[in-house]
Amino acid sequence: MVVFPVGLEANAVIFDFDGVIVDTEPLHYKAFQRILEPLGLGFSWQQYVDIYMGFDDRDAFIEAFATQNRPLDTATLSSLVERKAEIFQTVIQDGITSYPGVVELIKKLHLMKVPLAISSGALQSDIAPIVEQLGIANCFDVIVTADDVTKSKPDPETYRLAFEKLASHAALTPGRTVAIEDTPAGITAAKGAGLQVIGLTNSYPKALISEASVVLDSLEELIPFTVHP
């Protein structure tokens, strides 16, 4: 059992990806705009933060089309998601910087054999090259992405699936599993799955993520944790 210095105890930890491990949100925004602006469906960065940031790619495109009352069939949606994934791969080639403390925390938890997962609205193709680049790909027992679920956050499906997969390898309970999130939608999803939640102010001010069990400015605050049998 992990005892974090913020007063939470956990037998497993589930990380969100964008906004928790790395700040790829500006890159996702850029990729969306390259596709949507020529279609007359572009939106501002503030709109992205306020509306789209909690969505997976599929739901973000659905929202963009719905906002302008534009039809969007399944085949076109699939094509848009594929194109956006291709563009995203080009924009990450200049390198990715992780948030302070997160790689150290993940590696330390892994060394202590704490079950770890990622629960993200990003695609597997977005996540895989970045965790490889950061040297933490082998630290996660489970990675749940937009490819694995039908509903994005704030629906709890992604966290329920991540927990269920972790629990198939170890005796876990939701109440002793901690999710680390940076968005209101993500916090709602994690709480809906019965998890404890650490909220990070990487993307939103403390007042907007106050539904989390604990709110922190940096994961560096969690590194001096202890492990008990």
Side-chain angles (χ1 to χ4, degrees):
M1 178 178 65
V2 178
V3 181
F4 288 117
V6 293
L8 293 184
E9 298 178 349
N11 290 327
V13 181
I14 304 177
F15 290 80
D16 179 36
F17 185 68
D18 292 317
V20 170
I21 295 177
V22 290
D23 183 14
T24 58
E25 297 297 357
L27 307 183
H28 283 292
Y29 174 72
K30 183 186 295 185
F32 276 123
Q33 297 319 298
R34 287 189 187 178
I35 294 172
L36 292 172
E37 283 182 349
L39 299 175
L41 296 170
F43 45 80
S44 69
W45 169 252
Q46 192 58 50
Q47 286 174 306
Y48 179 75
V49 171
D50 292 342
I51 301 170
Y52 294 90
M53 198 155 68
F55 291 154
D56 60 19
D57 290 355
R58 179 179 54 237
D59 285 348
F61 281 120
I62 290 172
E63 177 69 18
F65 274 73
T67 298
Q68 299 296 326
N69 295 314
R70 296 269 290 272
L72 179 60
D73 59 63
T74 302
T76 302
L77 177 58
S78 296
S79 175
L80 290 170
V81 170
E82 289 177 8
R83 284 178 56 203
K84 191 264 181 178
E86 292 170 0
I87 292 170
F88 185 78
Q89 293 308 310
T90 67
V91 299
I92 67 171
Q93 288 176 2
D94 291 336
I96 295 291
T97 302
S98 61
Y99 281 103
V102 66
V103 169
E104 182 182 352
L105 176 64
I106 289 167
K107 288 184 174 180
K108 185 177 177 183
L109 287 167
H110 175 64
L111 184 64
M112 299 298 180
K113 302 187 183 305
V114 178
L116 300 178
I118 288 175
S119 173
S120 174
L123 298 171
Q124 176 69 27
S125 60
D126 295 346
I127 295 171
I130 295 175
V131 293
E132 286 286 351
Q133 199 176 120
L134 296 176
I136 55 175
N138 68 327
C139 295
F140 295 99
D141 304 281
V142 171
I143 296 180
V144 172
T145 72
D147 305 286
D148 303 310
V149 298
T150 58
K151 297 178 181 178
S152 62
K153 302 171 186 177
D155 190 276
E157 181 183 4
T158 179
Y159 274 108
R160 284 179 180 153
L161 182 57
F163 173 78
E164 287 168 4
K165 289 189 172 186
L166 277 181
S168 70
H169 302 293
L172 304 175
T173 60
R176 282 293 177 90
T177 299
V178 167
I180 302 179
E181 265 289 350
D182 69 306
T183 69
I187 291 168
T188 297
K191 290 182 67 176
L195 311 182
Q196 301 179 86
V197 189
I198 293 173
L200 292 176
T201 58
N202 292 343
S203 305
Y204 291 88
K206 184 174 182 178
L208 294 182
I209 57 171
S210 60
E211 293 300 311
S213 311
V214 174
V215 176
L216 304 177
D217 292 324
S218 171
L219 286 179
E220 292 175 301
E221 299 176 56
L222 297 182
I223 292 174
F225 65 81
T226 57
V227 175
H228 300 291

